[in-house]
Amino acid sequence: MPTNKTLDGRVAVITGASSGIGAATAEHLAELGASVALVARRADRLDELVARIGKNGGTAIAVAADVSDPAAVQAAADRVEAELGDADLLFNNAGVMLPAPIEDRATEQWQRQIDINISGLMYVIGAFVPQLVRAAGERGVADLINTSSIGAQSVFPNFAVYTGTKAYVTHMSRNLRAELGRKNVRVSALEPGLVTTELASHVTDDGALEWLDGARDSVEWLTPGDVARAVGYLAGLPARVNFQQLTLMPTGQV
Ligand code: NDP
């Protein structure tokens, strides 16, 4: 357990906070001293996490919202501003992975991945950037950390749409950094390899399931806590340092 309150006084928003990487990051950032706003759809999970963080001495609020609904995302941003003040750390992390052979024409799954991983990610950026810019002006620095994936760089059969959404996240982040850096808002793309979370539990494609099972047997996957530590590290860097892209792989993953 970390004891250094390197993020004391910071206000962090974490999307996808109801499970996996987002939940672990919310707990870690709270341990580092940040007040955290937890965004996801499953309100019961968020309430449990708020209670746990509170019990450990942290400050957290639950803000149930669907990131693919721009009005809900704006309402979430307004609540954060009213209850915690301007956010100066946005971990934009909600996402889904629904691989399928392209010839299956799984258009509903294509659309869901695009709606959440791309449109949702952008709605969150749009709603919170005013707060990040204001906070950076007042406090000297703010962070926007987008969860991409090793899929943004690598090639996996049946994952074309998912990896395409993540390539979008990485390239968009690089461009946004050039725009927001001069306003003291750092932008980073975080690209994990395999992490043990609920992400694969939504996968229905046999080929992808077989590949994931094989990888589970042959490689020790990252834990959500490993990724959480990377987020804490990025946000704790001196204001002049922007780690623009961080690829975090299990040691044994090719
Ligand atoms: P989980 O499935 O455990 O977490 C996904 C989170 O996203 C949940 O909290 C879920 O909450 C939230 N979410 C999904 N849809 C929406 C929505 N419409 N609105 C709001 N929140 C939503 O998986 P991970 O922790 O692994 O995933 C987090 C991120 O990490 C994703 O972007 C994923 O692509 C990325 N990633 C994961 C890797 C891995 O191996 N696990 C590797 C590389 C990247 P709820 O259902 O309650 O809304």
Side-chain angles (χ1 to χ4, degrees):
M1 287 293 138
T3 49
N4 287 344
K5 300 279 183 190
T6 49
L7 301 184
D8 221 1
R10 302 223 22 200
V11 176
V13 174
I14 299 104
T15 72
S18 61
S19 62
I21 294 169
T25 302
E27 286 202 84
H28 184 60
L29 298 182
E31 283 164 3
L32 294 176
S35 301
V36 293
L38 316 182
V39 180
R41 291 165 304 174
R42 286 172 292 176
D44 51 340
R45 292 278 200 105
L46 298 181
D47 289 341
E48 280 168 30
L49 189 51
V50 164
R52 196 155 67 240
I53 289 171
K55 220 170 110 200
N56 291 332
T59 302
I61 62 169
V63 187
D66 183 334
V67 296
S68 66
D69 174 351
V73 171
Q74 185 56 54
D78 293 344
R79 250 197 79 196
V80 171
E81 186 188 338
E83 294 185 29
L84 298 178
D86 283 333
D88 61 13
L89 200 178
L90 171 59
F91 183 42
N92 202 4
N93 166 75
V96 288
M97 179 182 80
L98 305 168
I102 213 70
E103 285 159 300
D104 284 2
R105 264 176 104 170
T107 51
E108 195 268 337
Q109 296 189 335
W110 299 351
Q111 196 61 53
R112 264 180 67 205
Q113 292 175 96
I114 293 164
D115 286 349
I116 297 168
N117 301 0
I118 296 182
S119 301
L121 182 103
M122 291 314 301
Y123 297 147
V124 173
I125 290 173
F128 282 99
V129 154
Q131 296 186 32
L132 295 175
V133 168
R134 262 196 316 267
E138 286 163 12
R139 301 169 213 165
V141 73
D143 287 287
L144 165 52
I145 302 171
N146 294 314
T147 303
S148 178
S149 164
I150 184 59
Q153 304 178 33
S154 301
V155 172
F156 304 96
N158 299 3
F159 284 76
V161 177
Y162 176 74
T163 56
T165 66
K166 294 304 186 177
Y168 172 90
V169 175
T170 291
H171 197 58
M172 184 278 299
S173 301
R174 276 203 295 258
N175 280 269
L176 198 54
R177 195 192 71 77
E179 184 178 335
L180 293 179
R182 60 188 93 154
K183 298 189 171 180
N184 291 338
V185 179
R186 302 186 285 205
V187 182
S188 307
L190 187 61
E191 299 179 326
L194 292 163
V195 189
T196 306
T197 68
E198 294 176 17
L199 195 71
S201 68
H202 309 291
V203 175
T204 52
D205 173 54
D206 288 338
L209 283 169
E210 204 175 303
W211 179 77
L212 288 163
D213 284 345
R216 224 172 263 114
D217 292 342
S218 58
V219 174
E220 183 179 356
W221 291 24
L222 300 175
T223 68
D226 296 330
V227 185
R229 283 173 59 193
V231 178
Y233 169 75
L234 293 176
L237 287 167
R240 64 182 175 277
V241 184
N242 187 166
F243 208 135
Q244 76 165 7
Q245 193 171 337
L246 179 53
T247 306
L248 194 68
M249 296 293 282
T251 304
Q253 185 182 348
V254 178

